[in-house]
């Protein structure tokens, strides 16, 4: 849910909503309204988003290893 994402990232809801919209536009996340409660949305990572995250983590791995040493 965008509100939970905003809280976890220490962002305001508006900024989180814009970030989610941008990621959705790139196909990295899916943002679906809850059928039972239209005040809620579910944000999920798409396959493309997971692939992007995997590539990003691989690029950051050397820096993480270096920082841990």
């Amino acid at each position: 849910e965008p509100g939970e994402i905003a809280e976890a990232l220490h962002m305001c809801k508006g900024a989180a909503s814009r970030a989610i919209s941008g990621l959705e536009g790139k196909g990295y996340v899916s943002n679906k309204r809850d059928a039972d409660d239209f005040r809620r949305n579910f944000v999920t990572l798409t396959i493309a988003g997971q692939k992007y995250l995997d590539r990003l983590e691989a690029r950051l791995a050397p820096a993480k290893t270096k920082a841990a040493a």
Side-chain angles (χ1 to χ4, degrees):
E1 184 171 315
E4 292 174 12
I5 292 170
E7 186 176 324
L9 297 175
H10 305 286
M11 302 171 82
C12 70
K13 288 182 183 180
S17 181
R18 286 188 297 278
I20 291 166
S21 292
L23 292 169
E24 186 177 22
K26 293 179 180 181
Y28 294 149
V29 298
S30 171
N31 186 11
K32 301 289 182 192
R33 194 161 298 278
D34 184 343
D36 296 323
D37 184 350
F38 286 100
R39 296 170 296 176
R40 295 184 61 181
N41 286 21
F42 293 105
V43 179
T44 55
L45 198 59
T46 63
I47 293 171
Q50 184 62 56
K51 288 179 181 179
Y52 182 78
L53 183 59
D54 291 343
R55 288 192 311 270
L56 183 60
E57 287 178 340
R59 290 180 68 185
L60 293 175
K64 286 182 181 180
T65 303
K66 192 174 188 178

